[in-house]
């Protein structure tokens, strides 16, 4: 599928609760910097830290300038796991407000965005967050850092918002995962996906996603007509 890459409005949200101490917070710092390095000139971004409360490192949405990357690297070096507990729902909802202007027209233009969430925390009420994300037209791209991140909760939240969730072990380099998520953010979305066999019918045991990235991958399970079947599966979709 030929497509143009979309610009992003990136909202980086880093878990700085006590449980992130050690290799996890170091990986999160490096991951946040790598995400900034992959912004294009003039794209808009924010950086926020959270634990029991939320601390913004930017005033609303800022415009990315590569000449400032050295300053950001120094600032992020000082980020540590000192913010207490993990109030993830409050932090995500706070990110949704960043960039909103008093003027209604500006609010509509600035409110859209992708949240890059780096955490080892849990989501207590996915349904409330999903409603808030869809209303604000935001997606969650989550990286679960640590030996036991809340995989099912993060994955469910990311999927429901139209994003993606990746898991890493303590101290693991996040750069490849950051690049994968940034590429996914930039990819156009497709909808109305359908899968058919070219010469017969199949019994599908799972459903295609309602919306997916044009460059993404997905799994589809079904029963083929017989073991000797050697036809083609055709997948079609419309650009969202």
């Amino acid at each position: 599928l030929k497509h143009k890459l979309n610009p992003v409005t990136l909202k980086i949200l880093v878990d700085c609760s006590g449980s992130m101490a050690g290799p996890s917070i170091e990986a999160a710092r490096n991951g946040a910097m790598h995400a900034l390095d992959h912004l294009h000139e003039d794209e808009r971004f924010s950086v926020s830290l959270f634990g029991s409360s939320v601390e913004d490192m930017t005033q609303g949405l800022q415009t990315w300038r590569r000449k400032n990357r050295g300053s950001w690297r120094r600032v992020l070096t000082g980020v540590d796991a000192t913010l207490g507990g993990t109030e993830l729902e409050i932090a995500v909802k706070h990110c949704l407000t960043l960039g909103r202007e008093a003027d209604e027209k500006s609010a509509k233009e600035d409110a859209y965005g992708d949240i890059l969430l780096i955490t080892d925390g849990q989501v207590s009420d996915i349904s409330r967050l999903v409603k808030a994300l869809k209303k604000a037209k935001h997606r969650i791209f989550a990286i679960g850092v640590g030996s036991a991140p809340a995989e099912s909760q993060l994955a469910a939240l990311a999927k429901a918002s139209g994003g993606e969730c990746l898991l890493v072990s303590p101290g693991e380099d996040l750069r490849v995962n950051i690049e994968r998520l940034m590429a996914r953010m930039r990819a156009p979305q497709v909808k109305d996906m359908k899968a058919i066999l070219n010469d017969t019918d199949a019994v599908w045991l799972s459903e295609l996603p309602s919306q997916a990235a044009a460059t993404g991958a997905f799994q589809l399970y079904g029963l083929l007509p017989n073991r000797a079947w050697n036809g083609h599966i055709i997948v079609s979709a419309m650009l969202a």
Side-chain angles (χ1 to χ4, degrees), residues 33-34 38-39 92 113 124 151 154 169 183 189 196 222 226-227:
M33 188 64 232
H34 199 62
H38 276 71
L39 285 174
V92 170
S124 59
E151 174 181 1
L154 281 178
S169 57
Q189 298 292 295
I196 59 173
N226 56 68
R227 294 184 178 181

Side-chain angles (χ1 to χ4, degrees), residues 86-219:
T86 310
E87 296 293 340
L88 181 54
E89 182 177 345
I90 293 173
V92 170
K93 288 184 176 179
H94 172 78
C95 275
L96 300 182
T97 68
L98 297 176
R100 289 180 179 170
E101 308 293 341
D103 181 79
E104 183 178 356
K105 182 175 184 294
S106 296
K108 290 181 179 179
E109 292 175 352
D110 291 342
Y112 306 98
D114 290 318
I115 298 175
L116 175 60
L117 171 64
I118 305 176
T119 183
D120 67 350
Q122 299 184 2
V123 186
S124 59
D125 190 331
I126 293 174
S127 60
R128 279 206 307 257
L129 269 181
V130 169
K131 287 180 181 178
L133 286 161
K134 289 186 175 180
K135 183 178 180 180
K137 297 186 178 179
H138 277 57
R139 298 178 294 178
I140 288 277
F141 290 85
I143 295 183
V145 181
S147 56
E151 174 181 1
S152 60
Q153 293 173 319
L154 281 178
L157 177 63
K159 181 179 179 181
S161 70
E164 185 174 348
C165 176
L166 302 176
L167 302 177
V168 298
S169 57
E172 184 177 340
D173 192 338
L174 301 188
R175 287 179 294 182
V176 172
N177 297 285
I178 293 291
E179 291 167 15
R180 171 177 166 177
L181 293 182
M182 294 288 286
R184 169 77 191 277
M185 292 177 197
R186 296 186 186 284
Q189 298 292 295
V190 293
K191 62 181 181 179
D192 299 332
M193 298 178 66
K194 298 177 182 177
I196 59 173
L197 306 186
N198 66 325
D199 56 359
T200 187
D201 294 326
V203 178
W204 299 116
L205 304 179
S206 62
E207 296 182 356
L208 289 165
S210 58
Q211 189 163 313
T215 58
F218 58 88
Q219 294 177 324

